[in-house]
Structure formats: structure tokens, C-alpha cells
Amino acid sequence: MEKTLIRPVFTGAELRRLIVPLVFEQLLAVTVGMADTMMVATVGEAAVSGISLVDQANVLLIQVFAAMATGGAVVASQYLGRRDREGARDAARQLIYVILAMSVVLAVVCVAFNRHLLRFMFGQVEPDVMAAAETYFWISALSYPFIAVYNGGAALFRSMGNSRVSLLASFIMNAINIGGNALLIYQFNMGVAGAATASLASRMTACFMVLVLLRNPHNAICLEHVLRLRFDGGKIRSILKVGVPNGIENGMFQIGKLLVAGLVASFGTSSIAANAICNNVSSIVSIPASAIGLGMVTVVGRCMGAGEKKQARTYTRNLMALAWGTIVLMNGAILFLAGPLVGFYAMPAATTALAMEIMREFCFWSVLSWTPSFILPNALRAAGDARFTMCVSMISMWIFRIGMSYVLGYALNMGLKGVWLAMYIDWCVRAVIFLWRAKGDKWQQKKVIE
């Protein structure tokens, strides 16, 4: 009897076309973000402080939008895997409705209760800092619907296996942002308002660009008849089934980071500076692996939609190995270049020595546990196991990342090193649980679409 050959859901070339642009997109986000920060720094100390405060809230909300976009991408990917283009196109419409409605409500609330929200989040700050924060906050809030829809559109293109569009849109968005900063801050002296307006213009451009490209009828997902409001409760529930747990998980993670940052601030200036240096340097390490994780959502989602559970496992294993390999290479490079990278900040000897010690330990623990902690959960979410990843991540974060930070850093007087050790414990706990979950079958028994 002749064996039937099963066609791979993704070829090697298709995987490369999906993942390679994502790597450059992630790299662009980090490098351009650094350039943006340096340009805004010329506005003045009070302005930078106000922008920094608002950005903490903005990151939290943007993470929620990204989580909802991931929910839509999972649903669309599974319909495409099932070869149901109409289902995928309808899911895309429902995603745009949901994410637009949510972002408009948040924008209205943030504009209407601008000062009250800032006072609630940050308490009493200097009047000039609060004035800068208020200006930046209300203009930033106007951009929420645009960045939300952009995230949704970019996720839909990834679900089609096309990440070049989001790379191009990201490049254009950041170019407009930097160019706008240069024009509005340096030439027109608009200060904080100029920085916020440049961001608003860049997000509007990226949003409309993605929407126009999604109208192409040759796309597997073509966004059509959007203005004919037709809500599909089943598809909206499917999107929320993945998006809501992912959004809660991302939101709680950002809140946890803020709490830990407050603890670090109590250790003194040297610890604050060393922590900032290590955060900046370590963020570079995960860029390629994070891109692979984004691609995994599309790949596993498409496999599950096609009913190819075995292929979903195989791709998960292969992409995990690839991500782990990049983590090994990047940490090796960081370990080799740690001296020059940390020395670039020209800090006092004590701060530099502390940062160097933390970076060496980070490289070891990152290689050991970061990939299964943060990349593997994407495969579980793409299969519909988002509630499990949310529960594990939140419990581990509150007990180990936050709780142990206070025990090790404060109670046992380990300071900043104790806070980073608590983070490694959190990673290891997550890694063990997610590897155990992926080894079993329960995650593949979840249903996202009927």
C-alpha cells in the first residue's frame, strides 16, 4: 500500500518570509525607540519626566491592544488553516470592530479624565511635570484607535504569512515619528506637544496604510464591507477567548514591572542606574527570539486550523530550537561585549561593577530558561490554551517575580541582585510548567473556532 504524503503547512521558504522581516521589525522598534528618546530628551527635564510617566500608561494600553490583535490573528490563522477564506475575512472584520470600539472608549476616557487619571496613577508631582504629562497624555490618547487598528491589521498580515507589510509600516511609522520630532521640537519649538503630535501622525499613517493594503482582493484576508456593521457573536467570542486572557497577562506583567521598579528605586541611585543599564542591554538579547515567537502564533494557529496537530508539535519543536539557538548566540555576544556596552554609559565604578555582575548572571539564566518561559506559551495560545498561560504567568509573577523580589532584595538585603535573582526563579518556574504542558495533549484539545 502506497503511503500518502502529507503536505507541510509551511515550507522552509514560507517560514523565512514570515520570520526574517519580523526580526528586522523588532530590531527597528528597539533602535528607533532609543533615537526617539534621545531627541525628546532635548525638550527639558520636566518634559522628559512627564513623557516618561505617560509612557508607562501608554505601554500598558498598547500591550492590551496587541493582545487583542493576537486573539484575532489566532482565529484568522485557524480559519486559513481550515481553508475557509470567508471565515477568516469575517473574523478580520470582527477583530477591527472589537479593537476599534475598545480603543475609542479608552481614548474618550483618557481625554475626559486626563488630570484625574494622572493624579490617580502617579500622585502629586511637580506642577511643570504634571503640565507636560497632561499635554502628552491627551494627544497620545487620540492615537489609541489608530495604534490599535494598526496592531490588528499587522497581526492579520502575519496570519497570512506576510510580515513584510508590518515591517514596511513600522519603518514608515518610525521615520515619520523621528522626522516629526525633528521638525516640531527643533524647528517649531512645540516641546511635549510636538513629540506627541509626531507620534499621532505616525500612528495615523501606519493605520491607514495597513487598512488600504488589507483591501487588496488578492489577499487571503481581504477587509471588505467593513462599514456594513454585521456582528458575529461566535467569532467575537473566539477572539476574546484568546485576546482577553492574553491582555490580562500582559497588563499584569506591566503592573508587576512597575512594582519591582518602585522597589529598585528604594535601593539608591547606583542600583537604579545599574538596573537601567542592564535592562537596556538585555533587551537586545531577545530580539530574534521574540520575532520567532510572533511567527509561531501564525504557524501553530494555521496547523491547528488544518487539523494537523502533529505538524503543530513539529513546528513548535523546530521553532523553539531556532529561538533557543538565537538566545545562545545573542547571549554569547553580549557576554563577550559586556565590558564595552556597560562602559559606554560612563557610570561610577561601583555602578559599572554591579551592572557587569548582573549581566554575567543574566546571560547564564537567559540561555537556561528564557525561551520556554516566553516563546513556548505562544504555541499554547495559538492552539487556544490562553487561559492556562495566563494563570501560570500571573501566579508565577506575583509569587516569584514580585514576592521573591521583596524577600531577596529587601528582607534578605540582597538589593538589586536579589531582584534579578527573583526574576530568574520566575523564569525557571514558568519554563518547567510550560514544557510539561507542551509535552502533554491538553493544549491541542482546545477549540478556538467551531
Side-chain angles (χ1 to χ4, degrees):
M1 184 175 176
E2 212 175 285
K3 287 186 178 179
T4 303
L5 295 176
I6 300 175
R7 183 187 180 278
V9 176
F10 279 85
T11 64
E14 288 171 334
L15 286 175
R16 286 191 293 273
R17 284 198 296 270
L18 172 64
I19 292 172
V20 171
L22 286 174
V23 173
F24 287 103
E25 183 181 345
Q26 296 295 300
L27 180 62
L28 183 68
V30 172
T31 55
V32 174
M34 292 169 64
D36 193 26
T37 301
M38 288 190 294
M39 295 178 73
V40 172
T42 63
V43 178
E45 187 177 12
V48 171
S49 298
I51 290 172
S52 176
L53 291 177
V54 173
D55 274 343
Q56 294 179 44
N58 283 344
V59 167
L60 178 62
L61 293 174
I62 290 171
Q63 287 289 331
V64 173
F65 300 149
M68 296 305 299
T70 297
V74 168
V75 174
S77 294
Q78 292 211 7
Y79 274 111
L80 290 177
R82 189 186 281 185
R83 300 185 184 280
D84 182 356
R85 285 196 172 194
E86 285 306 313
R89 291 179 176 189
D90 193 31
R93 283 193 295 272
Q94 305 308 312
L95 171 62
I96 297 301
Y97 295 155
V98 168
I99 208 166
L100 182 60
M102 182 200 323
S103 59
V104 167
V105 169
L106 286 171
V108 170
V109 169
C110 290
V111 170
F113 300 99
N114 186 341
R115 176 182 286 267
H116 303 288
L117 289 171
L118 290 172
R119 292 286 186 198
F120 174 76
M121 289 187 289
F122 306 113
Q124 297 294 324
V125 296
E126 295 293 327
D128 53 349
V129 173
M130 178 55 72
E134 287 178 15
T135 299
Y136 194 74
F137 193 29
W138 79 262
I139 299 177
S140 292
L142 297 179
S143 74
Y144 292 164
F146 301 105
I147 193 65
V149 172
Y150 163 73
N151 276 329
L156 291 172
F157 272 108
R158 287 197 297 271
S159 71
M160 290 185 271
N162 183 354
S163 56
R164 287 173 296 177
V165 167
S166 59
L167 171 61
L168 178 61
S170 180
F171 179 82
I172 292 173
M173 178 167 58
N174 285 301
I176 292 173
N177 193 27
I178 290 179
N181 281 339
L183 180 65
L184 299 178
I185 295 174
Y186 298 155
Q187 296 295 320
F188 290 94
N189 298 314
M190 290 178 61
V192 171
T197 302
S199 294
L200 172 60
S202 69
R203 290 169 177 177
M204 290 177 65
T205 303
C207 170
F208 291 128
M209 175 183 170
V210 166
L211 286 176
V212 168
L213 292 174
L214 277 172
R215 295 278 296 164
N216 187 340
H218 299 295
N219 290 335
I221 298 177
C222 174
L223 201 60
E224 52 191 1
H225 311 307
V226 180
L227 297 181
R228 299 179 192 172
L229 295 179
R230 291 179 298 175
F231 296 97
D232 186 324
K235 289 186 176 67
I236 290 175
R237 281 192 296 273
S238 295
I239 293 169
L240 297 178
K241 186 177 180 181
V242 178
V244 169
N246 197 18
I248 294 173
E249 180 183 337
N250 289 350
M252 288 296 102
F253 183 75
Q254 293 300 323
I255 292 171
K257 286 178 68 175
L258 292 176
L259 290 174
V260 172
L263 174 62
V264 170
S266 70
F267 297 150
T269 304
S270 181
S271 291
I272 296 171
N275 190 57
I277 292 169
C278 292
N279 280 329
N280 287 340
V281 175
S282 63
S283 66
I284 302 170
V285 170
S286 60
I287 290 173
S290 295
I292 294 167
L294 284 173
M296 187 181 284
V297 172
T298 297
V299 173
V300 174
R302 195 87 68 86
C303 290
M304 294 302 293
E308 292 289 348
K309 295 182 179 181
K310 187 175 180 181
Q311 287 199 51
R313 276 188 184 279
T314 301
Y315 283 119
T316 298
R317 197 162 48 241
N318 293 343
L319 290 174
M320 277 287 291
L322 180 61
W324 225 320
T326 65
I327 286 292
V328 170
L329 291 173
M330 293 297 289
N331 275 288
I334 291 295
L335 192 60
F336 180 73
L337 298 171
L341 286 171
V342 173
F344 175 77
Y345 291 87
M347 290 291 166
T351 302
T352 300
L354 179 59
M356 284 293 296
E357 187 176 353
I358 290 173
M359 283 310 305
R360 291 192 188 101
E361 293 175 356
F362 169 85
C363 290
F364 170 77
W365 289 106
S366 177
V367 167
L368 181 67
S369 58
W370 191 89
T371 305
S373 298
F374 294 99
I375 302 303
L376 184 55
N378 284 335
L380 305 181
R381 293 185 195 104
D385 205 12
R387 187 177 297 178
F388 178 83
T389 65
M390 176 194 72
C391 291
V392 171
S393 298
M394 287 179 60
I395 292 171
S396 180
M397 181 192 70
W398 285 102
I399 293 176
F400 300 105
R401 180 76 177 268
I402 298 174
M404 291 301 292
S405 287
Y406 281 87
V407 171
L408 297 173
Y410 181 73
L412 297 182
N413 203 30
M414 291 178 65
L416 184 61
K417 289 193 287 186
V419 169
W420 282 71
L421 179 57
M423 181 177 72
Y424 306 143
I425 294 171
D426 173 34
W427 291 359
C428 290
V429 170
R430 294 184 193 216
V432 169
I433 295 174
F434 289 142
L435 286 168
W436 166 79
R437 184 72 166 185
K439 187 177 180 182
D441 296 323
K442 282 189 177 180
W443 66 284
Q444 291 192 312
Q445 294 171 4
K446 303 292 181 180
K447 280 193 174 182
V448 175
I449 60 177
E450 298 299 328

